[in-house]
Amino acid sequence: GGSLPLLELPSFGLALRCPDISASLLAERLRQTDPPVIARIQEDTLILDVRTILPGEAEELARALLAALT
């Protein structure tokens, strides 16, 4: 995105599928957490780009995921 939309950056992601919640609903719930978590959806799978998680944010992300899944 931005000024270099075709630039590929090295990264890895966490792919999540939940049998009871669609990827789009899970993404919507994550956007509503505080702070919001932004993910992308590919083939009905929610993907979190781990490159964007700063040191010390893993616990906050885990809390957001738990809140979105319950």
Side-chain angles (χ1 to χ4, degrees):
S3 63
L4 299 171
L6 300 178
L7 179 66
E8 292 185 19
L9 300 172
S11 185
F12 60 97
L14 174 65
L16 299 170
R17 275 193 178 174
C18 182
D20 300 327
I21 303 172
S22 70
S24 59
L25 179 58
L26 183 54
E28 180 182 333
R29 289 180 179 182
L30 285 169
R31 286 191 302 270
Q32 295 172 358
T33 61
D34 183 27
V37 175
I38 307 301
R40 66 182 171 93
I41 298 172
Q42 183 176 337
E43 298 176 17
D44 200 35
T45 301
L46 184 103
I47 300 176
L48 296 167
D49 187 342
V50 182
R51 177 180 53 85
T52 62
I53 300 171
L54 299 175
E57 293 182 338
E59 287 184 27
E60 201 167 20
L61 175 59
R63 282 192 294 274
L65 283 168
L66 285 173
L69 289 168
T70 59

Coordinates of all heavy atoms in Angstrom, one line a residue:
G1 N 0.8 -1.2 0.0 CA 0.0 0.0 0.0 C 0.9 1.3 0.0 O 2.1 1.2 -0.2
G2 N 0.2 2.4 0.2 CA 0.9 3.6 0.2 C 1.6 4.0 -1.1 O 1.0 3.7 -2.2
S3 N 2.7 4.6 -1.1 CA 3.4 5.0 -2.3 C 4.1 3.9 -3.1 O 4.5 4.1 -4.2 CB 4.4 6.1 -2.0 OG 5.4 5.6 -1.1
L4 N 4.3 2.8 -2.5 CA 4.9 1.6 -3.1 C 4.0 0.4 -3.0 O 4.4 -0.6 -2.4 CB 6.3 1.4 -2.5 CG 7.3 2.5 -2.6 CD1 8.5 2.2 -1.8 CD2 7.7 2.8 -4.1
P5 N 2.9 0.4 -3.7 CA 1.9 -0.8 -3.5 C 2.4 -2.1 -4.0 O 2.0 -3.1 -3.6 CB 0.7 -0.3 -4.3 CG 1.2 0.7 -5.3 CD 2.4 1.4 -4.6
L6 N 3.4 -2.1 -4.9 CA 3.9 -3.4 -5.4 C 5.2 -3.9 -4.7 O 5.7 -5.0 -5.0 CB 4.2 -3.3 -6.9 CG 3.0 -2.9 -7.8 CD1 3.3 -2.7 -9.2 CD2 1.9 -3.9 -7.6
L7 N 5.7 -3.1 -3.8 CA 6.9 -3.5 -3.0 C 6.5 -4.6 -2.1 O 5.6 -4.6 -1.3 CB 7.4 -2.3 -2.2 CG 8.6 -2.6 -1.4 CD1 9.8 -2.9 -2.2 CD2 8.9 -1.4 -0.5
E8 N 7.3 -5.7 -2.1 CA 7.1 -6.8 -1.2 C 8.1 -6.8 -0.1 O 9.3 -6.7 -0.3 CB 7.3 -8.2 -2.0 CG 6.2 -8.4 -3.0 CD 6.2 -9.7 -3.7 OE1 6.9 -10.6 -3.1 OE2 5.7 -9.9 -4.8
L9 N 7.6 -6.8 1.1 CA 8.4 -6.8 2.3 C 8.5 -8.2 2.9 O 7.5 -8.8 3.0 CB 7.9 -5.8 3.3 CG 7.8 -4.3 2.9 CD1 7.0 -3.5 3.9 CD2 9.1 -3.8 2.6
P10 N 9.7 -8.6 3.4 CA 9.8 -9.9 4.0 C 9.0 -9.9 5.3 O 9.1 -8.9 6.1 CB 11.3 -10.1 4.2 CG 11.9 -8.7 4.2 CD 11.0 -7.9 3.3
S11 N 8.3 -10.9 5.6 CA 7.5 -11.0 6.8 C 6.9 -12.4 6.9 O 7.2 -13.3 6.1 CB 6.3 -10.0 6.7 OG 5.6 -10.1 8.0
F12 N 6.2 -12.7 8.0 CA 5.4 -13.9 8.1 C 4.2 -13.6 8.8 O 4.0 -12.5 9.4 CB 6.3 -15.0 8.8 CG 6.7 -14.7 10.2 CD1 6.0 -15.1 11.3 CD2 7.9 -13.9 10.4 CE1 6.4 -14.8 12.6 CE2 8.3 -13.6 11.6 CZ 7.6 -14.0 12.7
G13 N 3.2 -14.5 8.8 CA 1.9 -14.2 9.4 C 1.4 -15.3 10.2 O 1.9 -16.5 10.1
L14 N 0.4 -15.0 10.9 CA -0.3 -16.0 11.7 C -1.7 -16.2 11.1 O -2.5 -15.3 11.0 CB -0.5 -15.5 13.2 CG -1.3 -16.4 14.1 CD1 -0.7 -17.7 14.3 CD2 -1.5 -15.7 15.4
A15 N -2.0 -17.4 10.6 CA -3.2 -17.7 9.9 C -4.2 -18.3 10.9 O -3.8 -19.3 11.5 CB -3.0 -18.6 8.7
L16 N -5.4 -17.8 11.0 CA -6.4 -18.3 11.9 C -7.7 -18.7 11.2 O -8.2 -17.9 10.4 CB -6.7 -17.2 13.0 CG -5.6 -16.8 13.8 CD1 -6.0 -15.6 14.7 CD2 -5.1 -17.9 14.7
R17 N -8.2 -19.8 11.5 CA -9.5 -20.3 11.1 C -10.3 -20.7 12.3 O -9.7 -21.5 13.1 CB -9.4 -21.4 10.1 CG -9.2 -21.0 8.7 CD -9.5 -22.1 7.7 NE -9.3 -21.6 6.4 CZ -9.3 -22.4 5.3 NH1 -9.5 -23.7 5.5 NH2 -9.2 -21.9 4.2
C18 N -11.5 -20.3 12.4 CA -12.3 -20.7 13.5 C -13.6 -21.4 13.0 O -14.3 -20.8 12.2 CB -12.7 -19.5 14.4 SG -13.6 -19.9 15.9
P19 N -13.9 -22.6 13.4 CA -15.1 -23.2 12.8 C -16.4 -22.5 13.2 O -17.4 -22.7 12.5 CB -15.1 -24.6 13.4 CG -14.2 -24.5 14.6 CD -13.2 -23.4 14.4
D20 N -16.4 -21.7 14.3 CA -17.7 -21.1 14.7 C -17.8 -19.7 14.3 O -18.9 -19.1 14.4 CB -17.8 -21.2 16.2 CG -17.8 -22.7 16.7 OD1 -18.3 -23.5 16.0 OD2 -17.2 -22.9 17.8
I21 N -16.7 -19.0 13.8 CA -16.8 -17.6 13.5 C -16.1 -17.4 12.1 O -15.0 -17.9 11.9 CB -16.0 -16.8 14.5 CG1 -16.6 -17.0 15.9 CG2 -16.0 -15.3 14.2 CD1 -15.8 -16.3 17.0
S22 N -16.8 -16.7 11.2 CA -16.2 -16.5 9.9 C -15.0 -15.5 10.0 O -14.9 -14.8 11.0 CB -17.2 -15.9 9.0 OG -17.5 -14.5 9.4
A23 N -14.1 -15.6 9.1 CA -12.9 -14.7 9.1 C -13.3 -13.3 9.1 O -12.7 -12.4 9.7 CB -12.0 -15.1 7.9
S24 N -14.4 -12.9 8.3 CA -14.8 -11.5 8.3 C -15.4 -11.1 9.6 O -15.1 -9.9 10.0 CB -15.8 -11.3 7.1 OG -16.9 -12.1 7.3
L25 N -16.1 -11.9 10.3 CA -16.6 -11.5 11.6 C -15.5 -11.4 12.6 O -15.5 -10.5 13.4 CB -17.7 -12.5 12.1 CG -18.3 -12.3 13.5 CD1 -18.9 -10.9 13.5 CD2 -19.3 -13.4 13.9
L26 N -14.5 -12.3 12.6 CA -13.4 -12.2 13.5 C -12.6 -10.9 13.2 O -12.2 -10.3 14.2 CB -12.5 -13.5 13.3 CG -11.3 -13.6 14.2 CD1 -11.7 -13.5 15.7 CD2 -10.6 -14.9 14.0
A27 N -12.4 -10.6 12.0 CA -11.7 -9.4 11.6 C -12.5 -8.1 12.1 O -11.9 -7.2 12.7 CB -11.5 -9.3 10.1
E28 N -13.8 -8.2 12.0 CA -14.6 -7.1 12.5 C -14.5 -6.9 14.0 O -14.3 -5.8 14.5 CB -16.1 -7.3 12.1 CG -17.0 -6.2 12.6 CD -18.4 -6.5 12.2 OE1 -18.7 -7.2 11.2 OE2 -19.3 -6.0 12.9
R29 N -14.5 -8.1 14.7 CA -14.4 -8.0 16.2 C -13.0 -7.5 16.6 O -12.9 -6.8 17.6 CB -14.7 -9.4 16.7 CG -16.1 -9.8 16.7 CD -16.2 -11.2 17.3 NE -17.6 -11.7 17.3 CZ -18.0 -12.8 17.7 NH1 -17.1 -13.7 18.3 NH2 -19.3 -13.2 17.7
L30 N -12.0 -7.9 15.9 CA -10.6 -7.5 16.2 C -10.5 -6.0 16.0 O -9.8 -5.3 16.8 CB -9.6 -8.2 15.4 CG -9.3 -9.6 15.9 CD1 -8.5 -10.4 14.8 CD2 -8.6 -9.7 17.2
R31 N -11.1 -5.4 15.0 CA -11.1 -4.0 14.7 C -11.8 -3.2 15.9 O -11.5 -2.0 16.1 CB -11.7 -3.6 13.4 CG -10.9 -4.0 12.2 CD -11.4 -3.4 10.9 NE -12.8 -3.8 10.6 CZ -13.2 -4.8 9.9 NH1 -12.3 -5.6 9.5 NH2 -14.5 -5.1 9.7
Q32 N -12.7 -3.9 16.6 CA -13.4 -3.2 17.7 C -12.7 -3.3 19.0 O -13.2 -2.7 20.0 CB -14.8 -3.8 17.8 CG -15.6 -3.5 16.5 CD -17.0 -4.2 16.5 OE1 -17.3 -5.0 17.4 NE2 -17.8 -4.0 15.5
T33 N -11.6 -4.0 19.1 CA -10.9 -4.1 20.4 C -10.1 -2.8 20.6 O -10.0 -2.0 19.7 CB -9.9 -5.3 20.4 OG1 -8.9 -5.2 19.4 CG2 -10.7 -6.7 20.2
D34 N -9.6 -2.7 21.9 CA -8.9 -1.5 22.2 C -7.5 -1.9 22.7 O -7.4 -2.5 23.8 CB -9.6 -0.7 23.3 CG -8.9 0.6 23.7 OD1 -8.2 1.1 22.8 OD2 -9.0 1.0 24.8
P35 N -6.4 -1.7 21.9 CA -6.4 -1.0 20.6 C -6.9 -1.9 19.5 O -6.9 -3.1 19.7 CB -5.0 -0.6 20.4 CG -4.2 -1.7 21.1 CD -5.1 -2.1 22.3
P36 N -7.4 -1.3 18.4 CA -7.9 -2.2 17.3 C -6.8 -3.0 16.7 O -5.6 -2.6 16.7 CB -8.4 -1.1 16.3 CG -8.4 0.2 17.0 CD -7.5 0.1 18.2
V37 N -7.1 -4.2 16.3 CA -6.2 -5.1 15.6 C -6.7 -5.2 14.1 O -7.8 -5.6 13.9 CB -6.1 -6.5 16.2 CG1 -5.2 -7.4 15.4 CG2 -5.7 -6.4 17.7
I38 N -5.8 -4.9 13.2 CA -6.1 -4.9 11.8 C -5.5 -6.2 11.2 O -4.3 -6.4 11.3 CB -5.6 -3.7 11.1 CG1 -6.1 -2.4 11.8 CG2 -6.0 -3.7 9.6 CD1 -7.6 -2.3 11.9
A39 N -6.3 -6.9 10.5 CA -5.8 -8.2 9.8 C -6.3 -8.2 8.4 O -7.2 -7.4 8.0 CB -6.3 -9.4 10.6
R40 N -5.8 -9.1 7.6 CA -6.4 -9.3 6.3 C -7.0 -10.7 6.2 O -6.7 -11.6 7.0 CB -5.3 -9.1 5.2 CG -4.2 -10.1 5.2 CD -3.1 -9.8 4.1 NE -2.0 -10.6 4.2 CZ -1.8 -11.7 3.6 NH1 -2.7 -12.1 2.7 NH2 -0.7 -12.4 3.7
I41 N -7.8 -10.8 5.2 CA -8.5 -12.1 4.9 C -8.1 -12.7 3.6 O -8.1 -11.9 2.6 CB -10.0 -11.9 5.0 CG1 -10.4 -11.4 6.4 CG2 -10.7 -13.3 4.7 CD1 -11.9 -11.1 6.5
Q42 N -7.7 -13.9 3.6 CA -7.4 -14.6 2.3 C -8.0 -16.0 2.4 O -7.7 -16.8 3.3 CB -5.8 -14.7 2.2 CG -5.4 -15.3 0.9 CD -3.8 -15.2 0.8 OE1 -3.2 -14.4 1.5 NE2 -3.3 -16.1 0.0
E43 N -8.8 -16.3 1.4 CA -9.5 -17.6 1.3 C -10.1 -18.0 2.7 O -9.9 -19.1 3.2 CB -8.4 -18.7 0.9 CG -7.9 -18.4 -0.5 CD -6.8 -19.4 -0.8 OE1 -6.7 -20.5 -0.2 OE2 -6.0 -19.1 -1.8
D44 N -10.9 -17.1 3.2 CA -11.7 -17.3 4.4 C -10.8 -17.6 5.6 O -11.2 -18.3 6.6 CB -12.8 -18.3 4.3 CG -13.9 -18.2 5.4 OD1 -14.1 -17.0 5.8 OD2 -14.4 -19.2 5.9
T45 N -9.6 -17.1 5.6 CA -8.6 -17.3 6.7 C -8.2 -15.9 7.1 O -7.8 -15.1 6.3 CB -7.4 -18.1 6.2 OG1 -7.9 -19.4 5.8 CG2 -6.4 -18.3 7.3
L46 N -8.2 -15.6 8.4 CA -7.7 -14.4 8.9 C -6.2 -14.4 9.1 O -5.7 -15.4 9.6 CB -8.3 -14.1 10.3 CG -8.0 -12.7 10.9 CD1 -9.1 -11.8 10.7 CD2 -7.6 -12.9 12.3
I47 N -5.5 -13.4 8.6 CA -4.0 -13.4 8.6 C -3.6 -12.2 9.3 O -3.9 -11.1 8.9 CB -3.4 -13.5 7.2 CG1 -3.9 -14.8 6.5 CG2 -1.9 -13.5 7.3 CD1 -3.5 -15.0 5.1
L48 N -2.8 -12.4 10.4 CA -2.1 -11.3 11.1 C -0.7 -11.2 10.7 O 0.0 -12.2 10.7 CB -2.2 -11.6 12.6 CG -3.6 -11.6 13.2 CD1 -3.5 -12.2 14.6 CD2 -4.2 -10.2 13.3
D49 N -0.3 -10.1 10.2 CA 1.1 -9.9 9.8 C 1.9 -9.6 11.0 O 1.8 -8.6 11.7 CB 1.2 -8.7 8.8 CG 2.6 -8.5 8.2 OD1 3.6 -9.1 8.8 OD2 2.7 -7.8 7.2
V50 N 2.8 -10.6 11.4 CA 3.5 -10.5 12.6 C 4.6 -9.5 12.5 O 5.1 -9.0 13.6 CB 4.1 -11.9 12.9 CG1 4.9 -11.9 14.2 CG2 3.0 -12.9 13.0
R51 N 5.0 -9.0 11.3 CA 6.0 -8.0 11.2 C 5.6 -6.7 11.9 O 6.4 -5.9 12.3 CB 6.3 -7.7 9.7 CG 7.3 -6.6 9.4 CD 7.5 -6.5 7.9 NE 6.2 -6.3 7.1 CZ 5.6 -5.1 7.0 NH1 6.1 -4.0 7.5 NH2 4.5 -5.0 6.3
T52 N 4.3 -6.5 12.0 CA 3.8 -5.2 12.5 C 3.6 -5.2 14.0 O 3.2 -4.2 14.6 CB 2.4 -4.9 11.9 OG1 1.5 -5.9 12.2 CG2 2.6 -4.7 10.4
I53 N 3.9 -6.4 14.7 CA 3.8 -6.5 16.1 C 5.1 -6.1 16.7 O 6.1 -6.7 16.5 CB 3.4 -7.9 16.5 CG1 2.0 -8.3 15.9 CG2 3.3 -8.0 18.1 CD1 1.7 -9.7 16.1
L54 N 5.0 -5.0 17.6 CA 6.2 -4.5 18.2 C 6.6 -5.3 19.5 O 5.7 -6.0 20.1 CB 6.0 -3.0 18.6 CG 5.8 -2.1 17.4 CD1 5.5 -0.7 17.9 CD2 7.0 -2.1 16.5
P55 N 7.8 -5.3 19.9 CA 8.2 -6.0 21.2 C 7.3 -5.5 22.3 O 7.0 -4.3 22.4 CB 9.6 -5.6 21.4 CG 10.2 -5.2 20.0 CD 9.0 -4.6 19.3
G56 N 6.8 -6.4 23.1 CA 5.9 -6.1 24.2 C 4.5 -6.1 23.9 O 3.6 -5.9 24.8
E57 N 4.1 -6.2 22.6 CA 2.7 -6.2 22.2 C 2.0 -7.6 22.1 O 0.8 -7.6 21.9 CB 2.5 -5.4 20.9 CG 2.8 -4.0 21.0 CD 2.6 -3.3 19.6 OE1 2.6 -3.9 18.6 OE2 2.5 -2.0 19.7
A58 N 2.8 -8.6 22.3 CA 2.2 -10.0 22.1 C 1.1 -10.3 23.1 O 0.1 -10.8 22.7 CB 3.3 -11.0 22.2
E59 N 1.3 -9.9 24.3 CA 0.2 -10.1 25.4 C -1.0 -9.4 25.0 O -2.2 -9.9 25.2 CB 0.7 -9.8 26.7 CG 1.7 -10.8 27.3 CD 2.2 -10.5 28.7 OE1 1.4 -9.9 29.4 OE2 3.3 -10.9 29.0
E60 N -0.9 -8.1 24.6 CA -2.0 -7.3 24.2 C -2.8 -7.9 23.1 O -4.0 -7.9 23.0 CB -1.6 -5.9 23.9 CG -2.6 -4.8 24.0 CD -2.0 -3.4 24.0 OE1 -0.8 -3.3 23.5 OE2 -2.7 -2.5 24.4
L61 N -2.0 -8.4 22.1 CA -2.6 -9.1 20.9 C -3.4 -10.3 21.4 O -4.5 -10.6 20.9 CB -1.6 -9.4 19.9 CG -2.1 -10.2 18.7 CD1 -3.2 -9.5 17.9 CD2 -0.9 -10.6 17.8
A62 N -2.8 -11.1 22.3 CA -3.4 -12.3 22.8 C -4.8 -12.0 23.5 O -5.8 -12.7 23.3 CB -2.5 -13.1 23.7
R63 N -4.8 -10.9 24.3 CA -6.0 -10.5 24.9 C -7.1 -10.1 23.9 O -8.2 -10.4 24.0 CB -5.7 -9.3 25.9 CG -5.1 -9.8 27.2 CD -5.1 -8.6 28.2 NE -4.3 -7.5 27.9 CZ -3.0 -7.4 28.1 NH1 -2.4 -8.4 28.7 NH2 -2.3 -6.4 27.8
A64 N -6.7 -9.4 22.9 CA -7.6 -9.0 21.8 C -8.2 -10.2 21.1 O -9.4 -10.2 20.8 CB -6.9 -8.0 20.8
L65 N -7.3 -11.2 20.8 CA -7.8 -12.4 20.2 C -8.8 -13.1 21.0 O -9.8 -13.6 20.5 CB -6.6 -13.3 19.8 CG -5.8 -12.9 18.6 CD1 -4.5 -13.7 18.5 CD2 -6.6 -13.1 17.3
L66 N -8.5 -13.3 22.3 CA -9.4 -13.9 23.2 C -10.8 -13.2 23.3 O -11.8 -13.8 23.3 CB -8.8 -14.0 24.6 CG -7.7 -15.1 24.8 CD1 -7.1 -15.0 26.2 CD2 -8.3 -16.5 24.6
A67 N -10.7 -11.9 23.3 CA -11.9 -11.1 23.4 C -12.7 -11.2 22.1 O -14.0 -11.4 22.1 CB -11.6 -9.6 23.6
A68 N -12.1 -11.3 21.0 CA -12.8 -11.4 19.7 C -13.3 -12.8 19.5 O -14.4 -13.0 18.8 CB -11.8 -11.1 18.5
L69 N -12.8 -13.8 20.1 CA -13.2 -15.2 20.0 C -14.3 -15.6 20.9 O -14.9 -16.6 20.8 CB -12.0 -16.2 20.1 CG -11.1 -16.1 18.9 CD1 -9.8 -16.9 19.3 CD2 -11.7 -16.7 17.7
T70 N -14.6 -14.7 22.0 CA -15.6 -15.1 23.0 C -16.8 -14.2 22.8 O -16.8 -13.2 22.1 CB -15.0 -14.9 24.4 OG1 -14.6 -13.6 24.6 CG2 -13.9 -15.9 24.6

